[in-house]
Amino acid sequence: MTVFAHARSVRLVLHACLLMAVVLSERACGGSTAGMSLLPAGNYRPLFRATNDPETQTVASFWLDRTPVTRGQFLDFVKACPKWRRSRVIRLFADTSYLSDWKADLDPGIDKDPQVLSRPAVQVSWFAARAYAEWRGCRLPTTPEWERAAAEGFLLAEGLKEPEFRTALARWYGSAAPEVLPLVGSGRATLHGIHDLHGLIWEWTEDFNSSLVTGDSREDTGLERQLFCGAGSVGARERSDFPAFMRAGFRSSLRSPYTLSNLGFRCALSAKP
Amino acid sequence: MTPTPPPVLIHSKVPFRPHRNLLVALLSGATLLATHFQLRAQTAPAAPASPLRTVDSTIQGSEIAVLTSAPEVPPPIRRRHATKVVVNLEVKEVVKRIADGTEYLFWTFGGDVPGKFIRVREGDQVEFHLMNHPTSKMPHNIDLHAVTGPGGGAASSFTAPGHASQFSFKALNPGLYVYHCATAPVGMHVANGMYGLILVEPKEGLPPVDREFYVMQGDFYTVGKFGDEGLQAFDSNKALDERPTYVVFNGSVGSLVGDRALKAKVGETVRIYFGNGGPNLSSSFHVIGEIFDTVFQEGGILPSQKNVQTTMVPSGGSVFVDFKLDVPGTFILVDHALFRAFGKGALGMLKVEGKNDLALYSGKEVDAVYLGQQADAGSAAEKKVESLKSQMQAAIRSDPKIASLSKEIQMEKGKQVYMQTCFVCHQVGGEGFPGQIPPLGKSDFLMADVDRSIGIVLQGKSGELVVNGKKFNGTMIPHNHLPDDQIANVLTYVRNSFGNTGAAVSPEQVRLIRSTAPAAKAETFE
C-alpha cells in the first residue's frame, strides 16, 4: 500500500473533508457563546509547514471556551447521550482507558473528591470530544486556532516577548504532572481572558494529526519535503519555542481513539460575520 | 504520514443522500480509516508479509534481557549462540535529586539517569518493547546506535503516554553504543536525561576482567545557577548556547562519591564502560592516579591504544577502558575539562582497598622546612649595591674636582641669595657699615666658628660684637624663613668671597643647628 503516493493531494482532500465536517456540525444547532471569549482575527505562523505553504496563516475571528471542558459538563453530556457512557462506548471510538478514573458511568467520583466536577475532563478520546462539542452546538478548535490563542501572553499579543509568560511556560514544562489536576480556571488568564491553555492539560484539536511529525523527528526533512519542513528545529519558526515543539510532537503521537490522563479539550465556535 | 483514503468511499454504490448526519459520519469514517491505516503503517515496518522473528534459523531460544541501573553492569554473556532477547524498557518522568537541595524533572529510561544498561550478543534478535508510563507528559521513543534501521528504532517506537510500542532488530555490529530518545525537540529530551548504553558483545566475547562498571556523563541546563535550591526548570537558551549548569556522572552531583563510590581491590582488573549522553559536551575522561592499560576507543571492540592517561569521548559516543589496580587509594574519575569536574559535578570516586606497595607508590616520605633560595640572594645583592653606592658617594666627596664643582654651584646659588637679602646691610662687597654692621670680608669672627655663623643667620643677633678688632653694635634679624639649602649656599658664598677662603657649608649642618636651636621668634618691625 503506497502510503506516500499522491501525498499532497491527499492532504488537501483531508483538509477539505475536515472543513466540511466542521461547518456541518456547527450548523447543527446555533451554539451559545456562554463561557467563551471572542478572539479577534490573528496570524498564525505554523511551526512546521510544507515548502509551498504560506509562512503566515490568517486565523479568522472565533469564539473559544475560557476554560477546558470540565467533568461536570462532560457528565451532563453522557447523561444526555447514553451511547457515550463508559460501559456503552464503541471500542473503535475510545480505548480501554476512556473515563477510567470515573467511579461509574454517571459518577465522576464526587464523594471522594467534592470538587471533581470543576476539574478538567480527561481520559476522553477525540471522537468523544467531538461528540460533546456537537451536542453543545459548537466544535473543537483547529490547530491554527488553538495555537493562535496559545501564542498570547498575559499582557501582550505575543507571549514569547513577555518574560513572565516565558517563565511560567518553563515552569510547567519543567515540573511533573500532578496526581490530582487542579480546578479549571485556577491559572492566570491570558490577554483575552482564556485560562489554562498552558500549565494544566494537553488539549485535542480538530486536526491534531496534521502536525506532520514522523515518529523520528530528525528525519522531518529531505525526501518528504512536500509534507515536512524542518527536522526538529532546523527550518522551524522559533527555535527556542520548545513548548510549541513539544505540543507538535505530542499531537503527532496521538491517535483518535486514544485517551490520556492529562489530555482534555475545549470548544470553539466560528464568529458570525 | 498521510495515507490515501480507500477508494470504496468515493465510488460508493449506496445512493448518495445528502443527509447531514450521514455526511458527518462518512467524513469521520474517512478520518477513522485513515488513522487506522496510519496505525497499521506504524506498527509494521516496511517488511514482508510474515513476521521477521521466526525466519532466522541461527536464532535459538529466547530470553528476557537483564537490565541494570548504573553503575551496575549485567553479567557477561556466556552463551555461544544467538538468541531472541526481549527488552522491556519503561519511560518514566520523575522528579529526583540533581544536587544537594536541588531537584529536577528527569525524563528517564527505566526510572534513572542514565537509562538501564542493555547487554546482548552479536547476532541476537532483539524484540524491543518501549512503554511510556501514563503519568508522562510527553511522547517518547528510542534511537539505539546499535540498530541498523531508520532512526535507529526511533521511527518505530514513537509512543504516547500510557501506551507501548514494539519493534525488532538484529544486533549486527558488536560494540558499546549509546541509546537516547529522539522525539522533538531532541536536544531537550536528551538534556533531560534520556540516554543509556547498550553493549553488543562480539561473538568471541570481550577479554575477561574482574569488575565492570557503568558510568555515563551528561550536561544539564537549569534556569537557576549551580546549587540553587528547589525544583529547577530546563533552560532552553542555555542549552542552545551550550552553557551547562551541571555536568555530572550518572545523573547527579556526587552520584559516585563517598559511600556511593565504585569499589574494587588491589590486584583486580577493572573495566569502565563510559558513555557520554551529551547533549552538547564532549568529555576528556581521566582517572586521577591511574593509567588506562587498554583503551577501546569510541566503544569499538578492537583495543586501540595502550597506556592512555585521558581519552576523548564524543557526545553521543562511548569508550571502555581496562586497567589493573596496583596500589590502594581513592582514584578520582573526572572530565579533565577541570571546571566541569570541580565546579559542575563531573567527578566520581573509585575506592581501592588492599595492601600498599611502597615501591610503586610511597606516599609522602619527607616533610621539611624550606627557606627558599630566592630571599638570601636578594638581600646579599641589595647589600652589595648599598655598599657600592656609599663608596661612590665617598669617592665623589673625596674627589676634590667634584667637590670643588659642587662648591662652585653652591657659591653661585649663594650669591643669588646674598644679592637678594644680605647685601642690604652687609653691602655688595661685604663691607658692612662702621659701628653698626660688621664686615664679612676677611672677617675673623665669621670664619672662626661655622656653627655660630649658621646660628646667627637662623636666629639673628643683637648686641655688641668685635670683628677684626673693631666694635659693632646693631641688630641682625633672624633668617629662619630661609630653607636649609639657601642658608648653606649663602654661607658657602660669603666664606669664599670678599677675601675669605673656607670649606663649603652643607644643608645637613644647617638642619642640625636649626633643630637643636630654640625656635626664634619672627622679628616684627615697629
Side-chain angles (χ1 to χ4, degrees), chain A residues 1-5 7 10-11 13-14 17-18 20-21 24-25 27-28 48 92-93 95 126-127 130 134 166 170-177 202 208-209 212-219 227-228 232 239-240 242 245-247 249-250 252-262, chain B residues 1-5 20-21 23-24 27-28 30-32 34-35 37-42 93-95 104-105 107 134-139 141 143 145 150-152 154-156 158-163 180 182-189 192 223 231-234 236-237 239-240:
Chain A
M1 101 144 287
T2 52
V3 170
F4 297 111
V10 158
R11 235 175 98 245
V13 166
L14 274 178
C17 294
L18 160 71
M20 283 175 68
L24 286 171
S25 60
R27 276 213 233 124
F48 294 100
L92 212 49
F93 294 140
D95 67 16
W126 179 76
F127 294 108
R130 293 182 81 248
E134 191 194 319
R166 291 193 83 124
R171 215 181 306 120
W172 184 58
Y173 288 98
S175 49
W202 303 110
F208 69 93
N209 55 358
L212 304 179
V213 175
T214 62
D216 182 357
S217 57
R218 297 158 302 171
E219 69 178 45
L227 293 175
F228 310 107
R239 223 170 283 201
S240 65
F242 279 69
F245 281 113
M246 292 161 78
R247 287 195 296 271
F250 179 81
S252 35
S253 75
L254 299 173
R255 304 284 165 257
S256 344
Y258 277 19
T259 68
L260 296 173
S261 60
N262 53 9
Chain B
M1 288 195 278
T2 45
T4 325
R20 179 192 39 85
N21 278 337
L23 202 55
V24 171
L27 291 167
S28 307
T31 326
L32 171 62
T35 58
F37 285 121
Q38 216 169 348
L39 246 169
R40 277 247 317 258
Q42 279 287 58
E93 298 173 7
V94 281
V95 173
Y104 189 81
L105 175 62
W107 299 346
T135 59
S136 296
K137 270 212 184 92
M138 301 300 300
N141 59 11
D143 165 6
H145 290 180
S156 318
F158 194 35
T159 313
H163 289 82
H180 61 88
T183 304
V186 185
M188 183 179 181
H189 283 249
N192 282 343
V223 173
L231 179 67
Q232 289 295 321
F234 169 70
S236 58
N237 287 315
L240 280 164

Side-chain angles (χ1 to χ4, degrees), chain A residues 18-34 36-41 59-65 133 136-142 145 206 266-273:
Chain A
L18 160 71
L19 277 167
M20 283 175 68
V22 159
V23 166
L24 286 171
S25 60
E26 251 190 63
R27 276 213 233 124
C29 353
S32 100
T33 57
M36 293 178 139
S37 281
L38 179 64
L39 285 162
V59 178
S61 171
F62 68 104
W63 294 88
L64 186 68
D65 272 350
R136 217 183 88 183
C138 45
R139 58 174 174 83
L140 293 182
T142 62
E145 285 176 336
E206 182 67 28
R266 70 180 72 209
C267 293
L269 201 58
S270 304
K272 296 193 173 33

Side-chain angles (χ1 to χ4, degrees), chain B residues 86-107:
Chain B
V86 176
V87 175
N88 294 308
L89 196 53
E90 181 196 51
V91 173
K92 212 158 181 244
E93 298 173 7
V94 281
V95 173
K96 285 168 69 134
R97 171 195 173 278
I98 190 172
D100 283 336
T102 312
E103 291 189 315
Y104 189 81
L105 175 62
F106 294 100
W107 299 346

Side-chain angles (χ1 to χ4, degrees), chain B residues 204-322:
Chain B
E204 64 278 9
L206 290 169
V209 292
D210 297 307
R211 273 186 215 272
E212 296 180 313
F213 296 110
Y214 170 26
V215 179
M216 195 152 188
Q217 179 173 330
D219 21 296
F220 288 89
Y221 302 82
T222 62
V223 173
K225 295 191 310 291
F226 182 92
D228 276 1
E229 295 197 340
L231 179 67
Q232 289 295 321
F234 169 70
D235 188 329
S236 58
N237 287 315
K238 284 187 190 166
L240 280 164
D241 289 345
E242 302 190 27
R243 293 183 290 121
T245 323
Y246 297 91
V247 182
V248 293
F249 296 146
N250 294 357
S252 63
V253 176
S255 62
L256 296 173
V257 158
D259 28 328
R260 288 174 294 207
L262 308 177
K263 292 183 184 56
K265 295 196 171 65
V266 170
E268 289 181 336
T269 311
V270 156
R271 175 175 297 147
I272 300 184
Y273 295 104
F274 184 82
N276 185 4
N280 290 324
L281 270 48
S282 302
S283 178
S284 311
F285 182 51
H286 173 84
V287 177
I288 302 177
E290 263 296 345
I291 297 159
F292 303 140
D293 298 333
T294 312
V295 169
F296 296 80
Q297 190 186 20
E298 294 168 344
I301 54 159
L302 282 182
S304 51
Q305 185 60 274
K306 293 206 170 298
N307 305 315
V308 171
Q309 62 195 294
T310 303
T311 186
M312 201 69 217
V313 187
S315 172
S318 71
V319 68
F320 50 104
V321 296
D322 291 356

